[in-house]
Structures are given as C-alpha cells and as structure tokens.
Amino acid sequence: MSAAGSRFEFAPAAEAVLRPLVDGRTLDLASLAETAGLALEDVVGLVQELVAGQAATVGSLL
C-alpha cells in the first residue's frame, strides 16, 4: 500500500483490516478486529503503523 508518500507492506491477513479503511469506512478498532478475525492487539499495532506513517488518522466516534 502507498499512502502519504510512504510505501507499506503488510501480511495478507491485514487486507481484512485495510479494505474497510481504504474504502473510507469509519470503524472502531474492536469492530475491525472482529471483522478481520484478528486479535485486537494485532489490529492496534497495524493502525499504529498507519498513524505513525501519517497514512491514517484516529478520531472519536463519540
């Protein structure tokens, strides 16, 4: 994946997390983990990479 001038490489299992984000959907991390069938900690780590690389932002659903 290329975003914000950076190139990111992820395991194939990450597609289930990345697809909704690339499609522009707003989801909480628990929903992403459940949808992808991954541990919440793994999804948090992936999202942290995206945020650190300025390829994603984290907001509040409140």
Side-chain angles (χ1 to χ4, degrees):
M1 179 177 106
S2 295
S6 297
R7 181 167 167 78
F8 300 87
E9 291 188 36
F10 297 101
E15 183 177 355
V17 174
L18 296 171
R19 179 60 46 203
L21 299 176
V22 169
D23 290 345
R25 294 177 50 199
T26 300
L27 298 166
D28 60 68
L29 294 174
S31 296
L32 280 173
E34 183 177 330
T35 299
L38 297 171
L40 179 59
E41 295 80 18
D42 294 335
V43 174
V44 168
L46 182 125
V47 171
Q48 284 176 328
E49 269 193 62
L50 293 172
V51 171
Q54 299 180 357
T57 60
V58 176
S60 173
L61 295 177
L62 300 177

